[in-house]
Amino acid sequence: MQLFLDTADVEEVRTGVVDWGVVTGVTTNPTLIARAGQDHETQVKKICAIVGNVSAEVVSTKKDDIITEGRRIAAWHENVIVKVPMTPDGLGAGKVLAGEGVRINVTLCFSVNQALLAAAIGAYIVSPFIGRLDDINEPGIELIKSVVAAYRQQSIKTKVLSASLRNPIHVQDSALAGADIGTMPFKVLESMMKHPLTDAGLEKFLADYRKTQEPKPVQSDKGAPAR
Ligand code: G3P
């Protein structure tokens, strides 16, 4: 499963991609862009300069407007994937854009049928949301399992991107369910690498190493048995 960051923060992207070498893509949405405090185009271009596979979401809601906005966003950078909402207009516009060679991510997916519709327009990615289903007392991970199973059964190539991941358990469960990609906030990525036994083990190894570096006490010959 590829690990994506769900962020519009350039420093978080740089850390995950360049410093740690574990992140291969980014998803953004209007909420995250607003949080970054920059205009959409500037922020997406900065992120595209660091990593491929950057989902940038349209804010238009009518088919023709989504097509126009999607073309504009796709022209920003070759790494851009245009994110459209799971609505009739979003699907219709996504189909046109996909036909023009634009990679499409259909977002806000909450059912297997919606995932089938995303595949039907030739979407590159579908984004089922786990956390928001958990929020309403429906187990989100079951949706990932079902979408993966349906896509396998139907030999569908659209990638399943497990989204709205709120904790490290969501990440490992998505991988076990067969998701192609998991996208997560930076703090969830950080929490994936934490384990108390790793910290304790490293501390012990370093303490033992330091002991080997300490000067050895000088041995006196006095009293040593004759050879
Ligand atoms: O990738 C979608 C994500 O941004 C939604 O996450 O936590 O707001 O449900 P959340």
Side-chain angles (χ1 to χ4, degrees):
M1 184 173 83
Q2 290 190 70
L3 305 177
F4 282 17
L5 274 174
D6 195 32
T7 186
D9 182 314
V10 172
E11 282 318 307
E12 289 182 352
V13 174
R14 207 185 307 282
T15 302
V17 176
V18 181
D19 296 346
W20 297 345
V22 296
V23 169
T24 54
V26 167
T27 50
T28 64
N29 61 38
T31 307
L32 295 169
I33 293 290
R35 204 177 290 159
Q38 284 271 0
D39 77 279
H40 196 186
E41 180 174 351
T42 306
Q43 206 63 10
V44 168
K45 282 181 172 171
K46 279 187 196 167
I47 296 169
C48 283
I50 301 170
V51 69
N53 303 309
V54 180
S55 286
E57 189 160 342
V58 299
V59 289
S60 306
T61 54
K62 294 283 172 242
K63 179 177 171 179
D64 287 346
D65 297 339
I66 296 174
I67 293 170
T68 305
E69 189 185 358
R71 284 179 183 143
R72 187 169 54 79
I73 291 176
W76 288 346
H77 200 284
E78 62 184 1
N79 292 345
V80 165
I81 299 168
V82 174
K83 218 177 186 188
V84 299
M86 173 62 74
T87 60
D89 288 276
L91 289 171
K95 170 97 178 174
V96 172
L97 292 166
E100 295 173 0
V102 175
R103 290 185 299 167
I104 297 296
N105 175 351
V106 179
T107 191
L108 292 165
C109 170
F110 294 96
S111 73
V112 173
N113 281 335
Q114 288 183 327
L116 291 174
L117 291 166
I121 63 147
Y124 179 65
I125 285 173
V126 67
S127 295
F129 280 32
I130 293 192
R132 292 191 191 185
L133 281 173
D134 286 358
D135 288 345
I136 59 161
N137 207 29
E138 286 182 32
I141 194 63
E142 295 306 317
L143 174 61
I144 302 298
K145 288 181 191 166
S146 299
V147 172
V148 168
Y151 275 17
R152 283 209 183 123
Q153 181 72 19
Q154 301 296 325
S155 303
I156 288 168
K157 297 280 175 268
T158 300
K159 292 178 190 297
V160 179
L161 182 151
S162 193
S164 185
L165 304 181
R166 308 269 178 77
N167 57 59
I169 303 297
H170 277 160
V171 180
Q172 69 186 42
D173 283 351
S174 296
L176 289 168
D180 299 293
I181 304 162
T183 192
M184 67 205 78
F186 187 78
K187 67 176 174 15
V188 175
L189 181 71
E190 273 185 315
S191 68
M192 284 175 69
M193 64 181 86
K194 296 229 163 76
H195 198 289
L197 291 181
T198 303
D199 297 339
L202 182 61
E203 203 176 305
K204 172 89 170 70
F205 286 154
L206 294 180
D208 288 345
Y209 172 74
R210 276 193 297 272
K211 281 185 210 154
T212 69
Q213 302 304 298
E214 284 164 8
K216 296 224 164 36
V218 183
Q219 297 242 308
S220 149
D221 281 349
K222 247 198 207 164
R227 293 178 186 235

